[in-house]
Amino acid sequence: MSRRDFVVAGSAALGGLLFSGCSKTPLPPTYGNLLRMADDLTYVAHRALLPGQSLVREYSHKDISSFPATGTFDPGVPGSPGYSEAYRGLQRNRFVDWRLSIEGSVERPGSYSLADLKRFPSRTQITRHTCEEGWTAIGEWTGVPLSRVLIAAGMRPTARCVCFYTFDDWADSIDILDALHPQTLLAYGMNDRDLPTAHGAPVRLRVERQMGYKSLKYLQRIVVKDVFDDCGKKGNIQTGWAWYTGI
Ligand SMILES: Nc1nc2c(c(=O)[nH]1)N[C@H]1C(S)=C(S)[C@@H](COP(=O)(O)O)O[C@H]1N2
Ligand SMILES: [Mo]
């Protein structure tokens, strides 16, 4: 498809959504602000043109590259930006007491230890990470598909959005299509080892069809919502970033 066709199809899809108000694709969640039109166009075009669960390319071991750890400081070190006393305690005890809580629109809210997550069937994938700063890197990720955990927690059919909160005080959300995507992982392994601190230990999110900053590190809490939630002050919209960064 040429770029022009793509843009035309995307605009048609966006127009269709905004003006018909009825489609299988959810309404672009950030629509309503003129400056958000590009974000919405990407969202709707991506959703309209890609088959729902199409996979991103997976690479082989020989393609694995060095992987910078960016935008982050060890949240277990006092004085570092994003320092968390709770994280420090968990880190000292090698995360045996770490638990990921899952709340909101689920039948069985609760929390999962690292051992619990490792008991689910795992997935390993070698994918390319694209940072908004302009670099890319290829790494291997092992973890449990988020869909498995959401299903185990009894995610309700009314759910529309999944919010994530981290120890270093980041928050972000993804829609249900990305949440249930087979390559969306709660990753606890990187390049065949435990996930290193710098890359988000003990568990990070991998959202492979979006830019790197959606793949939150140092996960603490997941909240399933029936309505779109951009995570308010800490979310991308209020911090000035695109909420949807499909690639
Ligand atoms: N909790 C948290 N998640 C985060 C970040 C962060 O600083 N804190 N940085 C983001 C950005 S901008 C990128 S590019 C990737 C970097 O992942 P890496 O450190 O494994 O390279 O993590 C993303 N997730
Ligand atoms: Mo990034």
Side-chain angles (χ1 to χ4, degrees):
M1 205 179 209
S2 74
R3 192 180 165 81
R4 191 179 163 276
D5 289 344
F6 178 83
V7 171
V8 167
S11 311
L14 181 66
L17 268 176
L18 294 184
F19 301 116
S20 79
C22 146
S23 159
K24 271 199 226 150
T25 311
L27 260 183
T30 61
Y31 118 87
N33 176 337
L34 196 58
L35 293 174
R36 286 284 153 199
M37 289 297 275
D39 196 356
D40 296 345
L41 179 62
T42 319
Y43 180 80
V44 178
H46 230 222
R47 289 288 178 257
L49 298 176
L50 289 179
Q53 300 299 53
S54 64
L55 302 183
V56 301
R57 178 172 170 194
E58 293 190 15
Y59 295 79
S60 60
H61 279 104
K62 66 174 177 17
D63 302 314
I64 291 174
S65 66
S66 78
F67 210 115
T70 60
T72 190
F73 302 84
D74 181 342
V77 173
S80 74
Y83 170 64
S84 154
E85 207 178 318
Y87 184 84
R88 184 170 191 227
L90 295 168
Q91 189 183 49
R92 279 182 162 173
N93 210 7
R94 300 165 140 252
F95 300 110
V96 289
D97 302 317
W98 174 89
R99 295 188 82 84
L100 179 65
S101 107
I102 303 192
E103 308 150 35
S105 194
V106 293
E107 298 296 341
R108 293 174 288 282
S111 69
Y112 296 79
S113 69
L114 196 50
D116 293 335
L117 294 182
K118 287 183 177 172
R119 271 194 289 274
F120 284 94
S122 71
R123 187 178 208 283
T124 293
Q125 60 201 29
I126 301 174
T127 50
R128 185 169 58 189
H129 178 101
T130 304
C131 171
E132 79 293 348
E133 290 167 344
W135 56 268
T136 63
I138 293 176
E140 183 193 64
W141 307 100
T142 298
V144 48
L146 175 64
S147 63
R148 294 215 178 245
V149 182
L150 292 175
I151 289 164
M155 182 168 77
R156 299 203 176 111
T158 46
R160 258 195 77 190
C161 178
V162 182
C163 300
F164 302 87
Y165 300 88
T166 75
F167 283 100
D168 62 341
D169 225 16
W170 279 46
D172 205 348
S173 62
I174 57 177
D175 72 0
I176 295 298
L177 209 61
D178 268 342
L180 296 180
H181 187 272
Q183 290 167 318
T184 299
L185 302 185
L186 296 174
Y188 45 73
M190 180 185 187
N191 298 339
D192 227 10
R193 316 179 73 135
D194 288 345
L195 186 67
T197 301
H199 295 286
V203 175
R204 77 176 299 165
L205 186 64
R206 291 297 310 166
V207 184
E208 302 291 358
R209 292 195 304 185
Q210 295 204 49
M211 299 279 282
Y213 66 80
K214 300 294 285 190
S215 287
L216 290 194
K217 310 197 275 193
Y218 315 110
L219 289 181
Q220 182 173 29
R221 194 158 73 94
I222 295 180
V223 184
V224 179
K225 303 262 168 127
D226 287 343
V227 290
F228 172 69
D229 181 352
D230 63 5
C231 303
K233 280 211 169 92
K234 288 180 190 152
N236 292 314
I237 298 174
Q238 288 195 37
T239 54
W241 296 85
W243 174 82
Y244 188 76
T245 59
I247 47 176

